[in-house]
Amino acid sequence: MAHPSLSEIPHLLQRISEEARAHFGEGKVANYIPALANVKPNQFGMAIACVDGSTHTVGDAHVPFSLQSITKLFTFVLALRAEGDALWQRVGREPSGAAFNSIVQLETENGIPRNPFINAGALVITDILTSRYVQLDYALLGALRRLADDPELHWNPEVARSEREHADRNMAMAYFMKSHGNFHNDPALVLDNYCAQCATEMTCAQLAQASMFLANDGRDLTLQGQPDEHFLTADQTRRVNALLLTCGAYDAAGDFAYRISLPVKTGVGGGIVAVIPEVGTVAVWSPELDAKGNSVLGAFALERLVQLTGWGYSSV
């Protein structure tokens, strides 16, 4: 299948948006975090940021939404930059096959989470970063502001507070991992950082831009040609994309790999970011979720994008 030209992308996005909107009502907005339950369900936005520097959007692509688990991608990258391969002593690289907030595997696997993108793994990553940064929330925002080239990015304190007040299961995981020696800081402090992290808000356009380095061998386009343009090495970028392909969509990762065949990270705020190596990144948002916690319209839109362009089968 011939890949689309840049001039064709706006038409493709409009077609996908029209088809996706026919699926409103097939999912439900996340309600286990009360602040997210108030989000208007019938919204859909999509953005494609290309390595040539162009960005194409449709629908509600400039409406901020709560990143939630998508931030696990960026904290994982920060930890990988800081720790290198030592990171893998504390977290695994395997798909979990269990719900993102499951505690069962921790007991059978001695407090070592399966991967960085389930909640237990993301808590270990946040614990690692809590040891490195006095104010982790600002360290993360600083990285995201650099990557998105937008100094106004922020996290929502109301969402963070709502999430923190309903974090009993995550707190149980933290204490369980601490009992196995795989948690070094006060769980309450780590949970504060974790909930602030998850409450980060971005638009589809900003998210696509911020994740561009994953499609560009680790290079940050906003610093192109400068000494520190590499946010990750090319080898690290390849490995991050491999983990996104196998572990990025909760316990639906296999289904996403089969249907979409792109590295992705999803979040219960309704967002999904996908990487098309050497082409660009795609961010899609629609808050209605399926039973696994993934955006119904977002998954549909990415699958249609791959079908219409052939990107997924030839670019990874």
Side-chain angles (χ1 to χ4, degrees), residues 103-208:
I103 198 171
V104 174
Q105 288 172 337
L106 288 176
E107 186 162 7
T108 60
E109 298 176 4
N110 300 314
I112 305 294
R114 280 283 181 96
N115 65 69
F117 302 138
I118 55 175
N119 283 17
L123 287 168
V124 168
I125 296 296
T126 304
D127 181 55
I128 290 169
L129 295 176
T130 297
S131 296
R132 284 191 165 263
Y133 297 104
V134 175
Q135 290 185 287
L136 174 53
D137 52 346
Y138 287 104
L140 175 60
L141 279 179
L144 290 174
R145 286 168 176 170
R146 165 190 161 173
L147 292 168
D149 197 22
D150 189 337
E152 302 302 320
L153 292 180
H154 64 278
W155 55 275
N156 186 318
E158 179 185 354
V159 174
R161 183 169 53 252
S162 180
E163 191 159 356
R164 184 66 178 85
E165 290 171 352
H166 295 80
D168 293 343
R169 180 182 287 264
N170 284 334
M171 185 67 82
M173 291 182 200
Y175 273 109
F176 190 87
M177 290 186 289
K178 193 172 183 68
S179 74
H180 281 276
N182 197 25
F183 217 83
H184 299 165
N185 293 281
D186 177 3
L189 173 60
V190 175
L191 260 293
D192 288 345
N193 284 335
Y194 178 77
C195 292
Q197 156 198 323
C198 289
T200 305
E201 294 185 343
M202 298 179 80
T203 68
C204 288
Q206 291 168 332
L207 177 58

Side-chain angles (χ1 to χ4, degrees), residues 253-273:
D255 183 58
F256 266 66
Y258 180 83
R259 293 168 54 194
I260 299 167
S261 65
L262 289 173
V264 303
K265 185 69 197 84
T266 66
V268 296
I272 306 176
V273 62

Side-chain angles (χ1 to χ4, degrees), residues 20 24 29 40-45 65 204 267-272 284-289 294-298:
F24 281 143
V29 174
K40 177 185 173 183
N42 289 359
Q43 299 183 80
F44 174 85
F65 63 92
C204 288
V268 296
I272 306 176
V284 60
W285 170 65
S286 189
E288 293 182 333
L289 310 178
N294 297 313
S295 172
V296 172
L297 272 68

Side-chain angles (χ1 to χ4, degrees), residues 191-265:
L191 260 293
D192 288 345
N193 284 335
Y194 178 77
C195 292
Q197 156 198 323
C198 289
T200 305
E201 294 185 343
M202 298 179 80
T203 68
C204 288
Q206 291 168 332
L207 177 58
Q209 178 64 45
S211 52
M212 175 68 70
F213 68 99
L214 293 173
N216 198 34
D217 287 333
R219 292 191 298 272
D220 177 0
L221 284 180
T222 65
L223 297 178
Q224 189 167 3
Q226 299 184 36
D228 56 348
E229 70 170 329
H230 273 91
F231 198 70
L232 286 179
T233 67
D235 185 60
Q236 287 174 324
T237 302
R238 177 179 61 81
R239 295 174 187 273
V240 170
N241 284 334
L243 279 174
L244 290 173
L245 182 65
T246 57
C247 306
Y250 306 135
D251 50 327
D255 183 58
F256 266 66
Y258 180 83
R259 293 168 54 194
I260 299 167
S261 65
L262 289 173
V264 303
K265 185 69 197 84

